[in-house]
Amino acid sequence: MEPSIYVMLRGGLPITTAIFSVIFLAKKLNKNHIFGLALTVIGITIVGLSGLVNGSSGGNDNFVLGLIFCMLSLVGNAIQFIIEEKLLAKNYLHPLQLVGYEGMWGLCLSTIAVTVASFTACDNAEYYCNSGHLESISDAFWMMGNNSGLVVAIIITMITLGFFNFFGLTITKYLSSLARALIMMSVTVIVWIYSLIILGQKFYFLQLVGFLGVVLGNVIYQ
């Protein structure tokens, strides 16, 4: 799945967040909210059909699987946003404090997952296999020890993700989780333009139509 299609499909995050906001936070949606969300759904559908028709990422089977996982991630993110809003509303928590808690739990869970994957055997002929196992901790440290650029990239990623989560939680605390989901959609503009200009992704008119639907839907919602 091409990066721009993935990010535009992520435009469905305000929809799942809005649904859970109504269910779990007892929030009410006005007519402009419902119309904006509906338009976003139409835009996402057009983008998905565009990728499927044009065979993005070398095969419709892989693309459909990518769509399924992408939609599941929307539900997971929406649940995370709602829980964060509840925590920030009911408890005296600074956004940085919550970022620290999430980072700590993320580190613990990732350590467990990587450890299990390191002892899970696989066929070396498969692209996801690493020295006979799904993961190799020793190979990871070897690559970092022999590639300073990789270490710099990891550090930069950690810092930028920290700021990203801090800013996101600050918006959630002082505005709402739905406002955070909507603001995140501005990323679609940057990624789509970058994919076309830098990565040389082929331009499809349906993607443009779907992209405009996502953006317009978010604007109407606000």
Side-chain angles (χ1 to χ4, degrees), residues 37-74:
L37 291 173
L39 191 57
T40 303
V41 171
I42 294 174
I44 293 170
T45 303
I46 293 175
V47 171
L49 290 175
S50 171
L52 187 60
V53 170
N54 293 300
S56 298
S57 296
N60 288 344
D61 291 338
N62 289 334
F63 184 81
V64 171
L65 183 61
L67 282 178
I68 294 173
F69 280 115
C70 186
M71 295 307 168
L72 290 176
S73 74
L74 297 182

mmCIF file of all heavy atoms in Angstrom, residues 37-74:
data_model
loop_
_atom_site.group_PDB
_atom_site.id
_atom_site.type_symbol
_atom_site.label_atom_id
_atom_site.label_comp_id
_atom_site.label_asym_id
_atom_site.label_seq_id
_atom_site.Cartn_x
_atom_site.Cartn_y
_atom_site.Cartn_z
ATOM 1 N N LEU A 37 -18.632 14.059 8.775
ATOM 2 C CA LEU A 37 -18.171 12.684 8.946
ATOM 3 C C LEU A 37 -18.601 11.811 7.767
ATOM 4 O O LEU A 37 -17.836 10.958 7.297
ATOM 5 C CB LEU A 37 -18.718 12.111 10.255
ATOM 6 C CG LEU A 37 -18.138 12.711 11.540
ATOM 7 C CD1 LEU A 37 -18.881 12.182 12.757
ATOM 8 C CD2 LEU A 37 -16.652 12.423 11.651
ATOM 9 N N ALA A 38 -19.831 12.026 7.270
ATOM 10 C CA ALA A 38 -20.321 11.256 6.125
ATOM 11 C C ALA A 38 -19.473 11.531 4.887
ATOM 12 O O ALA A 38 -19.120 10.612 4.127
ATOM 13 C CB ALA A 38 -21.789 11.591 5.852
ATOM 14 N N LEU A 39 -19.132 12.798 4.672
ATOM 15 C CA LEU A 39 -18.306 13.157 3.527
ATOM 16 C C LEU A 39 -16.916 12.544 3.643
ATOM 17 O O LEU A 39 -16.322 12.109 2.642
ATOM 18 C CB LEU A 39 -18.198 14.689 3.431
ATOM 19 C CG LEU A 39 -17.591 15.258 2.144
ATOM 20 C CD1 LEU A 39 -18.375 14.783 0.925
ATOM 21 C CD2 LEU A 39 -17.566 16.783 2.195
ATOM 22 N N THR A 40 -16.401 12.481 4.857
ATOM 23 C CA THR A 40 -15.095 11.850 5.080
ATOM 24 C C THR A 40 -15.154 10.369 4.742
ATOM 25 O O THR A 40 -14.225 9.820 4.141
ATOM 26 C CB THR A 40 -14.659 12.036 6.548
ATOM 27 O OG1 THR A 40 -14.626 13.431 6.865
ATOM 28 C CG2 THR A 40 -13.281 11.441 6.781
ATOM 29 N N VAL A 41 -16.241 9.706 5.103
ATOM 30 C CA VAL A 41 -16.411 8.285 4.792
ATOM 31 C C VAL A 41 -16.413 8.064 3.285
ATOM 32 O O VAL A 41 -15.775 7.143 2.762
ATOM 33 C CB VAL A 41 -17.731 7.752 5.398
ATOM 34 C CG1 VAL A 41 -18.016 6.344 4.879
ATOM 35 C CG2 VAL A 41 -17.647 7.730 6.903
ATOM 36 N N ILE A 42 -17.123 8.934 2.557
ATOM 37 C CA ILE A 42 -17.171 8.819 1.094
ATOM 38 C C ILE A 42 -15.769 9.005 0.509
ATOM 39 O O ILE A 42 -15.356 8.263 -0.389
ATOM 40 C CB ILE A 42 -18.136 9.872 0.514
ATOM 41 C CG1 ILE A 42 -19.577 9.579 0.960
ATOM 42 C CG2 ILE A 42 -18.057 9.888 -1.018
ATOM 43 C CD1 ILE A 42 -20.576 10.639 0.562
ATOM 44 N N GLY A 43 -15.028 9.990 1.017
ATOM 45 C CA GLY A 43 -13.673 10.242 0.535
ATOM 46 C C GLY A 43 -12.761 9.058 0.781
ATOM 47 O O GLY A 43 -11.987 8.651 -0.096
ATOM 48 N N ILE A 44 -12.864 8.467 1.975
ATOM 49 C CA ILE A 44 -12.042 7.295 2.308
ATOM 50 C C ILE A 44 -12.380 6.125 1.391
ATOM 51 O O ILE A 44 -11.500 5.409 0.914
ATOM 52 C CB ILE A 44 -12.272 6.892 3.776
ATOM 53 C CG1 ILE A 44 -11.725 7.973 4.703
ATOM 54 C CG2 ILE A 44 -11.618 5.560 4.092
ATOM 55 C CD1 ILE A 44 -12.116 7.773 6.137
ATOM 56 N N THR A 45 -13.661 5.932 1.117
ATOM 57 C CA THR A 45 -14.097 4.842 0.238
ATOM 58 C C THR A 45 -13.528 5.015 -1.164
ATOM 59 O O THR A 45 -13.056 4.054 -1.788
ATOM 60 C CB THR A 45 -15.633 4.793 0.169
ATOM 61 O OG1 THR A 45 -16.162 4.645 1.495
ATOM 62 C CG2 THR A 45 -16.093 3.631 -0.689
ATOM 63 N N ILE A 46 -13.542 6.249 -1.678
ATOM 64 C CA ILE A 46 -13.010 6.521 -3.013
ATOM 65 C C ILE A 46 -11.512 6.243 -3.068
ATOM 66 O O ILE A 46 -11.004 5.644 -4.022
ATOM 67 C CB ILE A 46 -13.298 7.983 -3.421
ATOM 68 C CG1 ILE A 46 -14.802 8.188 -3.607
ATOM 69 C CG2 ILE A 46 -12.556 8.346 -4.710
ATOM 70 C CD1 ILE A 46 -15.189 9.626 -3.879
ATOM 71 N N VAL A 47 -10.788 6.656 -2.024
ATOM 72 C CA VAL A 47 -9.342 6.414 -1.977
ATOM 73 C C VAL A 47 -9.059 4.913 -1.956
ATOM 74 O O VAL A 47 -8.179 4.412 -2.665
ATOM 75 C CB VAL A 47 -8.718 7.082 -0.733
ATOM 76 C CG1 VAL A 47 -7.272 6.661 -0.568
ATOM 77 C CG2 VAL A 47 -8.804 8.590 -0.856
ATOM 78 N N GLY A 48 -9.821 4.174 -1.144
ATOM 79 C CA GLY A 48 -9.626 2.730 -1.071
ATOM 80 C C GLY A 48 -9.906 2.043 -2.394
ATOM 81 O O GLY A 48 -9.145 1.173 -2.822
ATOM 82 N N LEU A 49 -10.967 2.441 -3.065
ATOM 83 C CA LEU A 49 -11.301 1.858 -4.363
ATOM 84 C C LEU A 49 -10.244 2.199 -5.406
ATOM 85 O O LEU A 49 -9.907 1.378 -6.259
ATOM 86 C CB LEU A 49 -12.671 2.356 -4.823
ATOM 87 C CG LEU A 49 -13.878 1.828 -4.043
ATOM 88 C CD1 LEU A 49 -15.160 2.495 -4.527
ATOM 89 C CD2 LEU A 49 -13.976 0.315 -4.189
ATOM 90 N N SER A 50 -9.696 3.415 -5.310
ATOM 91 C CA SER A 50 -8.647 3.824 -6.239
ATOM 92 C C SER A 50 -7.435 2.919 -6.124
ATOM 93 O O SER A 50 -6.882 2.452 -7.119
ATOM 94 C CB SER A 50 -8.242 5.277 -5.974
ATOM 95 O OG SER A 50 -7.085 5.623 -6.713
ATOM 96 N N GLY A 51 -7.009 2.657 -4.901
ATOM 97 C CA GLY A 51 -5.859 1.785 -4.693
ATOM 98 C C GLY A 51 -6.131 0.363 -5.126
ATOM 99 O O GLY A 51 -5.263 -0.316 -5.675
ATOM 100 N N LEU A 52 -7.349 -0.100 -4.892
ATOM 101 C CA LEU A 52 -7.698 -1.470 -5.259
ATOM 102 C C LEU A 52 -7.755 -1.638 -6.771
ATOM 103 O O LEU A 52 -7.244 -2.605 -7.329
ATOM 104 C CB LEU A 52 -9.049 -1.838 -4.637
ATOM 105 C CG LEU A 52 -9.503 -3.291 -4.768
ATOM 106 C CD1 LEU A 52 -8.494 -4.215 -4.118
ATOM 107 C CD2 LEU A 52 -10.882 -3.474 -4.131
ATOM 108 N N VAL A 53 -8.367 -0.680 -7.462
ATOM 109 C CA VAL A 53 -8.500 -0.740 -8.920
ATOM 110 C C VAL A 53 -7.135 -0.646 -9.596
ATOM 111 O O VAL A 53 -6.852 -1.345 -10.568
ATOM 112 C CB VAL A 53 -9.418 0.395 -9.427
ATOM 113 C CG1 VAL A 53 -9.360 0.489 -10.940
ATOM 114 C CG2 VAL A 53 -10.843 0.153 -8.966
ATOM 115 N N ASN A 54 -6.268 0.207 -9.064
ATOM 116 C CA ASN A 54 -4.957 0.406 -9.686
ATOM 117 C C ASN A 54 -3.895 -0.566 -9.187
ATOM 118 O O ASN A 54 -2.729 -0.453 -9.565
ATOM 119 C CB ASN A 54 -4.476 1.843 -9.420
ATOM 120 C CG ASN A 54 -5.335 2.867 -10.128
ATOM 121 O OD1 ASN A 54 -5.449 2.874 -11.347
ATOM 122 N ND2 ASN A 54 -5.979 3.745 -9.353
ATOM 123 N N GLY A 55 -4.294 -1.502 -8.299
ATOM 124 C CA GLY A 55 -3.373 -2.555 -7.870
ATOM 125 C C GLY A 55 -2.176 -2.029 -7.122
ATOM 126 O O GLY A 55 -1.052 -2.414 -7.404
ATOM 127 N N SER A 56 -2.383 -1.142 -6.137
ATOM 128 C CA SER A 56 -1.285 -0.595 -5.369
ATOM 129 C C SER A 56 -0.567 -1.688 -4.603
ATOM 130 O O SER A 56 -1.148 -2.634 -4.112
ATOM 131 C CB SER A 56 -1.808 0.455 -4.377
ATOM 132 O OG SER A 56 -2.393 1.525 -5.062
ATOM 133 N N SER A 57 0.747 -1.525 -4.468
ATOM 134 C CA SER A 57 1.617 -2.403 -3.702
ATOM 135 C C SER A 57 1.645 -3.820 -4.239
ATOM 136 O O SER A 57 1.799 -4.784 -3.505
ATOM 137 C CB SER A 57 1.203 -2.434 -2.225
ATOM 138 O OG SER A 57 1.372 -1.166 -1.651
ATOM 139 N N GLY A 58 1.492 -3.963 -5.539
ATOM 140 C CA GLY A 58 1.785 -5.225 -6.195
ATOM 141 C C GLY A 58 0.805 -6.352 -5.951
ATOM 142 O O GLY A 58 1.184 -7.497 -5.901
ATOM 143 N N GLY A 59 -0.454 -6.079 -5.750
ATOM 144 C CA GLY A 59 -1.394 -7.182 -5.621
ATOM 145 C C GLY A 59 -2.620 -6.800 -4.835
ATOM 146 O O GLY A 59 -2.531 -6.218 -3.777
ATOM 147 N N ASN A 60 -3.794 -7.157 -5.356
ATOM 148 C CA ASN A 60 -5.032 -6.797 -4.686
ATOM 149 C C ASN A 60 -5.212 -7.531 -3.363
ATOM 150 O O ASN A 60 -5.800 -7.006 -2.424
ATOM 151 C CB ASN A 60 -6.219 -7.081 -5.603
ATOM 152 C CG ASN A 60 -6.293 -6.079 -6.740
ATOM 153 O OD1 ASN A 60 -5.675 -5.033 -6.689
ATOM 154 N ND2 ASN A 60 -7.043 -6.418 -7.766
ATOM 155 N N ASP A 61 -4.706 -8.789 -3.266
ATOM 156 C CA ASP A 61 -4.834 -9.552 -2.028
ATOM 157 C C ASP A 61 -4.096 -8.829 -0.895
ATOM 158 O O ASP A 61 -4.624 -8.675 0.202
ATOM 159 C CB ASP A 61 -4.269 -10.967 -2.206
ATOM 160 C CG ASP A 61 -5.137 -11.795 -3.150
ATOM 161 O OD1 ASP A 61 -6.322 -11.448 -3.314
ATOM 162 O OD2 ASP A 61 -4.621 -12.771 -3.708
ATOM 163 N N ASN A 62 -2.873 -8.405 -1.163
ATOM 164 C CA ASN A 62 -2.109 -7.688 -0.156
ATOM 165 C C ASN A 62 -2.767 -6.351 0.177
ATOM 166 O O ASN A 62 -2.740 -5.904 1.324
ATOM 167 C CB ASN A 62 -0.673 -7.450 -0.631
ATOM 168 C CG ASN A 62 0.130 -8.729 -0.654
ATOM 169 O OD1 ASN A 62 -0.166 -9.665 0.076
ATOM 170 N ND2 ASN A 62 1.139 -8.778 -1.505
ATOM 171 N N PHE A 63 -3.336 -5.718 -0.831
ATOM 172 C CA PHE A 63 -3.951 -4.420 -0.606
ATOM 173 C C PHE A 63 -5.184 -4.566 0.288
ATOM 174 O O PHE A 63 -5.401 -3.772 1.198
ATOM 175 C CB PHE A 63 -4.340 -3.776 -1.936
ATOM 176 C CG PHE A 63 -4.889 -2.382 -1.780
ATOM 177 C CD1 PHE A 63 -4.031 -1.305 -1.620
ATOM 178 C CD2 PHE A 63 -6.254 -2.162 -1.762
ATOM 179 C CE1 PHE A 63 -4.533 -0.023 -1.464
ATOM 180 C CE2 PHE A 63 -6.761 -0.887 -1.610
ATOM 181 C CZ PHE A 63 -5.889 0.189 -1.462
ATOM 182 N N VAL A 64 -6.002 -5.587 0.028
ATOM 183 C CA VAL A 64 -7.192 -5.818 0.855
ATOM 184 C C VAL A 64 -6.785 -6.116 2.292
ATOM 185 O O VAL A 64 -7.404 -5.626 3.239
ATOM 186 C CB VAL A 64 -8.029 -6.982 0.275
ATOM 187 C CG1 VAL A 64 -9.149 -7.374 1.245
ATOM 188 C CG2 VAL A 64 -8.611 -6.591 -1.071
ATOM 189 N N LEU A 65 -5.730 -6.921 2.465
ATOM 190 C CA LEU A 65 -5.242 -7.220 3.808
ATOM 191 C C LEU A 65 -4.772 -5.948 4.504
ATOM 192 O O LEU A 65 -5.033 -5.732 5.696
ATOM 193 C CB LEU A 65 -4.091 -8.228 3.733
ATOM 194 C CG LEU A 65 -3.520 -8.708 5.078
ATOM 195 C CD1 LEU A 65 -4.595 -9.421 5.890
ATOM 196 C CD2 LEU A 65 -2.325 -9.626 4.843
ATOM 197 N N GLY A 66 -4.097 -5.084 3.734
ATOM 198 C CA GLY A 66 -3.656 -3.807 4.287
ATOM 199 C C GLY A 66 -4.828 -2.943 4.708
ATOM 200 O O GLY A 66 -4.784 -2.272 5.741
ATOM 201 N N LEU A 67 -5.895 -2.955 3.896
ATOM 202 C CA LEU A 67 -7.095 -2.194 4.238
ATOM 203 C C LEU A 67 -7.701 -2.677 5.558
ATOM 204 O O LEU A 67 -8.110 -1.878 6.397
ATOM 205 C CB LEU A 67 -8.139 -2.324 3.126
ATOM 206 C CG LEU A 67 -7.948 -1.478 1.868
ATOM 207 C CD1 LEU A 67 -9.060 -1.782 0.873
ATOM 208 C CD2 LEU A 67 -7.927 -0.004 2.194
ATOM 209 N N ILE A 68 -7.744 -3.995 5.735
ATOM 210 C CA ILE A 68 -8.326 -4.567 6.947
ATOM 211 C C ILE A 68 -7.539 -4.124 8.181
ATOM 212 O O ILE A 68 -8.113 -3.671 9.182
ATOM 213 C CB ILE A 68 -8.363 -6.108 6.857
ATOM 214 C CG1 ILE A 68 -9.331 -6.547 5.753
ATOM 215 C CG2 ILE A 68 -8.766 -6.712 8.204
ATOM 216 C CD1 ILE A 68 -9.315 -8.035 5.482
ATOM 217 N N PHE A 69 -6.206 -4.239 8.105
ATOM 218 C CA PHE A 69 -5.380 -3.848 9.248
ATOM 219 C C PHE A 69 -5.463 -2.344 9.509
ATOM 220 O O PHE A 69 -5.418 -1.896 10.663
ATOM 221 C CB PHE A 69 -3.928 -4.260 9.020
ATOM 222 C CG PHE A 69 -3.664 -5.707 9.296
ATOM 223 C CD1 PHE A 69 -3.292 -6.566 8.279
ATOM 224 C CD2 PHE A 69 -3.801 -6.213 10.580
ATOM 225 C CE1 PHE A 69 -3.058 -7.909 8.532
ATOM 226 C CE2 PHE A 69 -3.566 -7.558 10.846
ATOM 227 C CZ PHE A 69 -3.191 -8.410 9.822
ATOM 228 N N CYS A 70 -5.589 -1.577 8.439
ATOM 229 C CA CYS A 70 -5.701 -0.122 8.579
ATOM 230 C C CYS A 70 -6.994 0.234 9.314
ATOM 231 O O CYS A 70 -6.999 1.086 10.212
ATOM 232 C CB CYS A 70 -5.667 0.544 7.207
ATOM 233 S SG CYS A 70 -5.613 2.353 7.276
ATOM 234 N N MET A 71 -8.094 -0.419 8.946
ATOM 235 C CA MET A 71 -9.368 -0.149 9.598
ATOM 236 C C MET A 71 -9.338 -0.574 11.069
ATOM 237 O O MET A 71 -9.899 0.102 11.939
ATOM 238 C CB MET A 71 -10.505 -0.870 8.865
ATOM 239 C CG MET A 71 -10.728 -0.362 7.456
ATOM 240 S SD MET A 71 -10.953 1.446 7.410
ATOM 241 C CE MET A 71 -10.834 1.767 5.654
ATOM 242 N N LEU A 72 -8.675 -1.694 11.353
ATOM 243 C CA LEU A 72 -8.544 -2.133 12.738
ATOM 244 C C LEU A 72 -7.736 -1.135 13.561
ATOM 245 O O LEU A 72 -8.027 -0.887 14.734
ATOM 246 C CB LEU A 72 -7.880 -3.514 12.795
ATOM 247 C CG LEU A 72 -8.711 -4.696 12.292
ATOM 248 C CD1 LEU A 72 -7.897 -5.980 12.321
ATOM 249 C CD2 LEU A 72 -9.973 -4.866 13.141
ATOM 250 N N SER A 73 -6.725 -0.522 12.913
ATOM 251 C CA SER A 73 -5.916 0.471 13.621
ATOM 252 C C SER A 73 -6.737 1.711 13.952
ATOM 253 O O SER A 73 -6.480 2.371 14.966
ATOM 254 C CB SER A 73 -4.696 0.851 12.776
ATOM 255 O OG SER A 73 -5.048 1.675 11.675
ATOM 256 N N LEU A 74 -7.717 2.038 13.113
ATOM 257 C CA LEU A 74 -8.580 3.183 13.389
ATOM 258 C C LEU A 74 -9.372 2.959 14.673
ATOM 259 O O LEU A 74 -9.523 3.865 15.499
ATOM 260 C CB LEU A 74 -9.546 3.421 12.228
ATOM 261 C CG LEU A 74 -8.935 3.785 10.867
ATOM 262 C CD1 LEU A 74 -10.031 4.029 9.849
ATOM 263 C CD2 LEU A 74 -8.033 4.996 10.974
#
